Every structure is written in C-alpha cells, then in structure tokens.
Amino acid sequence: MTTPLPAGAMQPYALTLDRFIDHAAKWHGATEVVTAGGGGITTRIGYAALRDRARLLSGALQSLGLRAGDNLGLLAWNSQAHMECWYGAVGVGIVCHTLNPRLSPAHLAAMIAQAGNRVLAVSPDLAELAQALTGLCPSVEHVVVLAEPGPATPLPDCGAVRVWRYEDLLAMRGSRVTWGGFDENAPAGLCFTSGTTGAPKGVTYTHRSNYLHTVHQLQADACGLTARDSVLVAVPMFHANGWGFPFSGPAAGAKLVLPGRHQDGASLAHLINREGVTVAAGVATVWLGLADHLDRMGGETPSLQRVMIGGASVPQALMDRLERRLGVVIQTSWGMTELSPLGTAATPTALSRKASHSGRPPLGVDLLLTDADGVPLPEQRDREGRLRVRGAAVVQRYFGQDEVAVDADGWFDTGDLASIDAQGNVTITGRAKDLIKSGGEWINPGEIEAIVGALPEVAQVAVVGRADPKWGERPVLVIEACQGADIADEALLGALKNRVPSWWLPDEVVRVPAMPLAATGKIDKTRLRADYG
C-alpha cells in the first residue's frame, strides 16, 4: 500500500493594501504623484519617497495612541499628504475614515462620534471646520493639519485638543515601523453613504475587499490603467475610495495627478496639458466645466484620451459634446459606496456607444434582476427589474449594525431599477425611491430624464414628484439649459410625446440657472423635492 503524497500548497500571501505602495516603490519608484495647490504651486514625489514618508507617519500615528482597528478621521482634498495618510494608516492596520468636507458640521460630528475618531487629519484650508468639529466631538484628541501646496495658514485654535503641523509630527514622532502582519479581512476603510436618499450609513472596507476591488478595476474593459498612463483623479478621495484610483494607480505604476480642491475648467485644462494626462475620472459636472472653459478661452487637451464618468447618469447630448470638444472617449460607469464602488463600466473601445449604458460588470461582480419582492426575473435580458449585486467588494453589513444588508442568498439590493440588453450592457433606468405614483400607477423619472437629457439644448435634467390632491403625485420637469441655448416648454414636452404614456407628461417645466448638486456631485433630488415638490 502506497502512502499518498502530500498535496502541494501556495504561499500565504495576505491581500493587504500596503502591497500596492510597496510594489510601486520597488518597480516604479520614480513615477510621480503630483499635487496641484493654490497660487499655481505644485508638489511632486516619487512612489519610493512617498512610501518612505508613509512609513514614518505610521510610527507617528502610533505615537498618538492609534492602534490596529482604530479609525483615523481624514477631512481632506486629494493630495500627496492625503495619500500618505492612507498608506501610513493601513500599513499598520489603522482604518481610514474619510469625511466629506462639503457636509455640515452637525452631519460630520455625528459620523465622527459614531466612528470614535481620536485623531483628525485635515487640509489646511479646512482648519476652521476642524476647529468647529473639535467643539462638537469630545472623542477628538489630536488634529493634524496636512502639508499641502499653497499659502501658509495659521493653526486652528482647538482648545484642549493638541494641534500638529504635519511636517512637525513626522519630524518629532515619525519612525519607520514594520508594515503588515495582520489578517487580510481586517478593516481598512470607512465611508458613509451620501445620504441623498436616506440617512447616511457607514460602509466598512476590508484589506481583502479593497485589494480585490483593485483587481476588478484594473481589468482591461474596466479602468485598465497601465504604467504608461498619467491619471487625473478628479473624484474626491473622501468619496468611496476615490473610486479606487489611489490603489489602482500605484498597483499599475501609473502617474497620479491630484488636483486638490481646484477643479475649475481653467485649472484642469492647465493641469492636464502640463502633466500629459491620458486618463481622467470624475463626475460629469467637472468635465462640463472644462468644456465650457475651452469653448470660452480656446485651447485643446491633446494628451487626454479617456474620461471615466460616474456618480449619475449622463445625458446623451452632454456625452456627445464632451467627446467632440475634448477629443476623448467617454467611459460611463455605475457604482455605489456599498460596492467599493465599481459595479459596471462601459467598454472604452465599444463601437456602439450610448450614454444610457453603464457597461458590464468586471469579473468578481455578479448582478441579478428581481421583482419588488426580491424574486429573480425568469428572463434576465431585455427586462426591467430591481438590481441586486454580490461579490467580494460588496457590503455585507453596515458599520455599527447587527443585521446583515443582504438576503439569504447574499444579494444586496441596490435600490436601483435596471435593464440588461442582449450584449450584457446594464442601463440604470431609475431609483425605486424616485418612482412617482400618480393615480395608482407608477411613473419612472429616469425614462423621462433620459429622453429630455438627449436634447442638445439641455445640460442637466431631473424629474421629481409634486403632491397632487387628485392624483396623489404628478411629475415636475426641472432643467438646466446649456450655455446660450433657448428651448421652449413645448419642445421639451414634445420630445416625450409618443415615447412615454401621455399621463407621464410633466405638469410643469422649471428652469434653474444651475442644477443643485449634493456633496458627492450628484443631482440633489432631496433639495429639488423641497423646492418644487
């Protein structure tokens, strides 16, 4: 009788986020991370030097009392120092709790209290906000004012809270500690949802989930970054991992260009041309501002090849205009904070391109259409249903909650309505919570918005429900016209005739000079309902 040979084995290589910056430092050490600041001041650093400073910061954070599993509050714009905070924290198991500076102090204080932040790192121009927050947040013991390019600013007076300048903290408390050594399922990030459709909820990202999300993102038909790319990250790092670019950039060895808070058209045009940006990512309003600037002042952005847009659906007319004016391929996408955030992305080389298409999911993200009760639709193509998702980077349970956020089979209900065509392209047709019930029947604002948004005179469009004593609710059409465009109400409503049921036609057209946006850049329908509903 022969003794069976032992099975082979692979190395226990933990999927932790410090691996990305280690890889970049070793193989792309001179590749730059560029930060633009006020007054035209720019800082540059290679990945090897950034990693070295991040290791120093790890020791400094530990000297302030933070340990693995603690939450570091980050209230900052996209910058080198913000990147160093991310890697300095996650390298030793500290959790990056990103906070949106555009939220009110009361909202931020509630999130800080829930997370138990004891150290708060802030951009210099947010010192006043930090000062207000320390008065509202008794858990905060230290405030670190980050080093970012721009004019020097005085330190905030935070009373008994110790305030540090970032460089002083590194010099006085920094030490190069050893990274890693913790479980890949340990928490790495905490981000609260935008709250535009309900109370904000905290989503905890693990090292493993963010590592695998980066693998999803780097697939060729998703973001597909390479070491030859120069990537402008115009999506804020405080919003859903900056769409993953602070991880996928170093993982691919790509140059990262961080615009700080300066995202006006003039600043972006200058930055794109100076840094040879090839790929850019951000919400549609950012690129609309860039196109408007180029129309007014002239000029081109010849290096720019591809712009990835997410956050909200893009009107076809806007997509067409951006592709013509910028000479780029617009890559539409869909995601959520709960998905880390990538859910689907349009193939950048697709021959047939529609703004309504959000593309297909990368390997590692699975989709399912169900009815309102969660029962899978028997046909998953050319049908509209509620979109559910599962995968390694999809939320299982919200921060601080005992109950799971998924059904018995592990599917997370996104709250979105969607259809999937024969080629697998996902189209988000609306939000279930946005549906308008008129006379006992449902009206889908997303379908109306898609038709009106395709008109070349329309820059932004939204449909909200208004209370009606007879029908319960009736739709109101809100538009922001393109610069210099003039379109009559009859033309707007005429575009809908014979394309939607007659009783779907909005009762009123409201024109706004600028569409109100939520803190994440999405159209703020909560405010629109308050103003016009």
Side-chain angles (χ1 to χ4, degrees):
M1 183 175 179
T2 59
T3 303
L5 295 174
M10 306 303 285
Q11 296 181 13
Y13 186 90
L15 305 183
T16 54
L17 300 179
D18 50 298
R19 307 284 191 187
F20 295 143
I21 199 69
D22 282 348
H23 172 82
K26 184 174 183 179
W27 300 108
H28 307 278
T31 299
E32 291 179 328
V33 174
V34 179
T35 303
I41 304 172
T42 301
T43 60
R44 301 173 183 275
I45 191 170
Y47 278 125
L50 189 149
R51 176 188 179 274
D52 192 53
R53 285 171 59 84
R55 280 188 63 207
L56 276 176
L57 181 62
S58 297
L61 294 174
Q62 289 180 336
S63 80
L64 299 183
L66 294 184
R67 297 293 180 264
D70 289 340
N71 295 312
L72 168 66
L74 293 168
L75 192 71
W77 311 109
N78 293 10
S79 68
Q80 171 192 324
H82 200 170
M83 284 273 290
E84 291 171 2
C85 283
W86 274 32
Y87 283 103
V90 301
V92 290
I94 296 169
V95 182
C96 289
H97 174 203
T98 51
L99 293 155
N100 187 340
R102 299 182 181 121
L103 297 176
S104 70
H107 280 101
L108 291 169
M111 295 173 185
I112 290 170
Q114 191 174 348
N117 298 130
R118 289 184 288 121
V119 179
L120 194 61
V122 304
S123 288
D125 62 352
L126 297 173
E128 267 188 46
L129 178 56
Q131 186 172 311
L133 288 172
T134 54
L136 299 171
C137 305
S139 66
V140 176
E141 301 167 3
H142 299 271
V143 169
V144 181
V145 180
L146 299 178
E148 294 182 355
T153 56
L155 293 178
D157 180 3
C158 296
V161 174
R162 178 77 183 267
V163 180
W164 299 84
R165 289 194 187 277
Y166 183 72
E167 295 298 337
D168 292 344
L169 179 65
L170 288 184
M172 297 168 62
R173 298 287 191 96
S175 59
R176 292 176 177 83
V177 299
T178 302
W179 278 355
F182 46 83
D183 190 273
E184 64 181 21
N185 290 298
L190 174 63
C191 182
F192 282 78
T193 59
S194 63
T196 54
T197 59
K201 290 175 282 191
V203 178
T204 300
Y205 307 114
T206 66
H207 282 261
R208 181 178 185 272
S209 73
N210 276 158
Y211 195 106
L212 292 177
H213 179 271
T214 304
V215 174
H216 302 164
Q217 191 185 23
L218 287 175
Q219 292 174 38
D221 281 346
C223 295
L225 300 184
T226 74
R228 298 177 297 280
D229 282 315
S230 174
V231 185
L232 174 62
V233 186
V235 56
M237 289 170 62
F238 56 72
H239 178 47
N241 293 318
W243 294 1
F245 287 100
F247 300 137
S248 59
K255 176 181 178 179
L256 285 185
V257 181
L258 307 176
R261 69 177 303 170
H262 305 285
Q263 297 192 17
D264 58 281
S267 297
L268 291 181
H270 176 70
L271 199 56
I272 289 167
N273 288 328
R274 189 185 65 196
E275 303 302 332
V277 170
T278 58
V279 179
V283 296
T285 49
V286 170
W287 313 118
L288 178 60
L290 174 60
D292 286 344
H293 166 76
L294 294 176
D295 281 347
R296 287 193 308 269
M297 307 303 295
E300 306 292 336
T301 51
S303 66
L304 192 58
Q305 301 167 10
R306 179 160 54 100
V307 172
M308 193 166 194
I309 290 181
S313 60
V314 184
Q316 185 69 47
L318 176 57
M319 176 175 166
D320 293 342
R321 180 191 172 201
L322 292 177
E323 290 196 330
R324 286 194 306 268
R325 186 61 187 87
L326 304 180
V328 299
V329 170
I330 295 295
Q331 191 177 5
T332 51
S333 65
W334 165 80
M336 301 178 71
T337 303
E338 289 91 339
L339 275 58
S340 303
L342 180 63
T344 64
T347 304
T349 55
L351 295 177
S352 175
R353 303 174 42 68
K354 294 182 179 179
S356 60
H357 284 174
S358 300
R360 291 177 290 202
L363 176 67
V365 179
D366 200 7
L367 306 181
L368 179 72
L369 295 179
T370 75
D371 63 18
D373 298 319
V375 178
L377 300 184
E379 296 291 335
Q380 290 287 305
R381 294 292 188 269
D382 297 321
R383 299 288 188 277
E384 183 183 67
R386 285 186 79 117
L387 184 59
R388 295 176 183 249
V389 188
R390 65 182 178 187
V394 178
V395 69
Q396 171 84 1
R397 178 186 291 106
Y398 287 106
F399 179 74
Q401 297 188 8
D402 293 325
E403 65 276 11
V404 295
V406 297
D407 66 17
D409 295 318
W411 293 102
F412 171 72
D413 184 358
T414 66
D416 281 323
L417 303 173
S419 63
I420 306 175
D421 69 15
Q423 289 72 44
N425 291 302
V426 175
T427 296
I428 303 299
T429 56
R431 290 284 295 170
K433 290 182 178 180
D434 286 345
L435 292 177
I436 298 167
K437 198 164 192 178
S438 183
E441 300 290 340
W442 292 109
I443 296 172
N444 187 348
E447 292 188 40
I448 299 173
E449 291 163 355
I451 294 169
V452 175
L455 299 172
E457 298 88 354
V458 175
Q460 300 258 41
V461 58
V463 175
V464 295
R466 172 181 289 171
D468 185 272
K470 180 178 180 180
W471 301 108
E473 282 186 304
R474 291 296 300 153
V476 175
L477 177 64
V478 184
I479 73 152
E480 173 192 338
C482 292
Q483 282 187 341
D486 184 21
I487 183 169
D489 292 359
E490 293 76 15
L492 292 166
L493 299 177
L496 297 168
K497 290 180 179 178
N498 302 320
R499 299 185 68 183
V500 300
S502 59
W503 53 274
W504 280 32
L505 294 179
D507 283 3
E508 183 182 355
V509 176
V510 175
R511 299 165 187 274
V512 294
M515 194 68 75
L517 302 179
T520 54
K522 299 178 183 179
I523 293 176
D524 190 346
K525 286 199 170 182
T526 300
R527 180 174 163 188
L528 289 177
R529 290 188 191 99
D531 290 346
Y532 307 112

